[in-house]
């Protein structure tokens, strides 16, 4: 399976910084036969980043979406708008959306469906909190998040990626160990197989304090098909080291 390495800039960078990052990374040597590379800039820069990367192999996605196509939803962005900026991907259910903005599984499912219907690729984030992990609930939480978001969507399997991001590992400098992550990834693949009643071939990425030192260990572990990188993706050369770690 082709790996995928994604940069989640979160709420970082001015317009100038975003443009200069893109110009810098665009000229770098990346083996696109072996991996897909994807950037999730803030909404505000989505059209411009897409335009600058149009003639490159680097793909672009939105960090969030609202499920309605258009209407009186002040401040929201629809899948149609994301498509019109020529972005291909959308990140849904990131732990910061689930926990800071209190997004429910029901809302996440609506976002997934409307994005898929609009032709976007969806990267669904799942992951347990530290409390859930310590209560041995990791597999229950992951299974429930996946089933609530994706039940009945087997026809869209080739438009999906899942990012396994343990909440306690995001932005903390405390990554999971690759063996533990690998076990959860295998469980995610089994869950999808059961849910979709077929081998879904959905790529499962690991995210949570990935850096240029640990990227190779994650990418070499079974069932880890890519990386979703936050903090360490903010500097183009560090992100490039991660991209080229495998
Ligand atoms: C993320 O934003 O999805 C993430 C994993 O962040 P970090 O790499 O900073 O932990």
């Amino acid at each position: 399976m082709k790996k995928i390495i994604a940069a989640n800039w979160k709420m970082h960078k001015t317009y100038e910084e975003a443009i200069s990052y893109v110009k810098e990374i665009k000229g770098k040597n990346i083996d696109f036969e072996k991996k897909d590379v994807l950037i999730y800039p803030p909404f505000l820069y989505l059209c411009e980043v897409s335009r600058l990367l149009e003639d490159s192999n680097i793909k672009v996605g939105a960090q969030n979406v609202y499920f309605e196509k258009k209407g009186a939803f002040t401040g929201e962005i629809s899948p149609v708008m994301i498509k019109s900026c020529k972005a291909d991907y959308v990140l849904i259910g990131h732990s910061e959306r689930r926990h800071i903005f209190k997004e429910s599984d029901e809302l996440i499912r609506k976002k997934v469906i409307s994005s898929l219907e609009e032709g976007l690729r969806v990267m669904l984030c799942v992951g347990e909190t530290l409390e859930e992990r310590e209560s041995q609930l990791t597999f229950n939480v992951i299974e429930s998040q996946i089933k609530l978001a994706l039940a009945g969507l087997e026809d869209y399997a080739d438009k999906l990626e899942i990012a396994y991001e343990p909440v306690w590992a995001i932005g903390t400098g405390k990554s999971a160990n690759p063996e533990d992550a690998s076990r959860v990834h295998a469980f995610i693949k089994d869950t999808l197989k059961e849910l979709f009643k077929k081998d879904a071939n959905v790529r499962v990425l690991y995210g949570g304090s990935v850096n240029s030192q640990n990227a190779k260990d994650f990418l070499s572990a079974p069932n880890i098909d890519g990386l979703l990188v936050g903090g360490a993706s903010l500097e183009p050369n560090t992100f490039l080291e991660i991209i080229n770690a495998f």
Side-chain angles (χ1 to χ4, degrees):
M1 213 178 256
K2 197 173 179 184
K3 305 272 187 201
I4 174 166
I5 317 292
N8 176 17
W9 289 357
K10 313 193 191 203
M11 196 176 73
H12 288 287
K13 299 193 182 298
T14 62
Y15 176 77
E16 286 76 18
E17 287 164 354
I19 300 312
S20 112
Y21 180 114
V22 169
K23 287 186 175 159
E24 182 157 356
I25 203 148
K26 200 177 155 179
K28 302 288 189 193
N29 208 11
I30 297 172
D31 183 356
F32 291 106
E33 296 285 312
K34 269 176 78 181
K35 58 204 105 183
D36 291 326
V37 176
L38 168 61
I39 297 176
Y40 291 106
F43 273 138
L44 208 52
Y45 317 138
L46 194 61
C47 280
E48 185 65 1
V49 169
S50 291
R51 196 185 62 75
L52 286 170
L53 291 173
E54 219 166 20
D55 58 348
S56 83
N57 286 305
I58 300 177
K59 308 215 168 32
V60 178
Q63 296 176 15
N64 184 25
V65 66
Y66 191 59
F67 61 86
E68 296 284 1
K69 283 192 192 325
K70 62 178 177 179
F73 305 102
T74 303
E76 294 299 322
I77 305 286
S78 75
V80 180
M81 293 169 174
I82 294 171
K83 265 302 244 197
S84 78
C85 274
K86 304 208 164 51
D88 298 315
Y89 283 76
V90 60
L91 196 61
I92 298 181
H94 189 280
S95 85
E96 287 147 19
R97 304 286 332 162
R98 289 180 191 263
H99 296 282
I100 303 172
F101 300 100
K102 309 286 177 226
E103 289 195 5
S104 65
D105 285 306
E106 192 193 0
L107 176 62
I108 288 166
R109 176 175 176 79
K110 285 184 178 166
K111 292 180 174 198
V112 169
I113 294 174
S114 71
S115 298
L116 290 171
E117 284 176 345
E118 206 49 53
L120 290 166
R121 293 191 67 86
V122 166
M123 188 175 285
L124 174 73
C125 300
V126 297
E128 81 287 1
T129 62
L130 185 59
E131 203 183 350
E132 289 161 344
R133 179 185 170 83
E134 285 172 348
S135 312
Q136 325 290 333
L137 289 173
T138 298
F139 290 140
N140 307 57
V141 170
I142 304 290
E143 182 177 9
S144 143
Q145 288 173 340
I146 290 177
K147 290 189 171 170
L148 289 169
L150 301 180
L153 299 181
E154 54 277 356
D155 291 349
Y156 291 106
D158 62 343
K159 290 277 191 184
L160 288 172
E161 267 93 24
I162 304 240
Y164 168 54
E165 299 207 303
V167 179
W168 48 270
I170 299 179
T172 58
K174 263 195 341 193
S175 63
N177 75 51
E179 294 73 33
D180 285 349
S182 185
R183 261 192 295 279
V184 179
H185 284 222
F187 175 77
I188 290 173
K189 292 184 179 195
D190 287 347
T191 304
L192 283 174
K193 193 170 174 180
E194 184 200 327
L195 186 67
F196 290 168
K197 303 194 174 45
K198 61 179 181 187
D199 258 324
N201 276 331
V202 169
R203 289 183 288 192
V204 183
L205 294 79
Y206 168 77
S209 298
V210 169
N211 57 40
S212 50
Q213 277 83 54
N214 62 22
K216 187 170 187 214
D217 292 340
F218 282 110
L219 289 168
S220 315
N223 292 308
I224 298 188
D225 309 313
L227 300 171
L228 177 56
V229 190
S233 74
L234 291 175
E235 205 278 306
N237 285 323
T238 312
F239 186 49
L240 194 76
E241 277 173 39
I242 294 172
I243 294 170
N244 289 335
F246 188 77

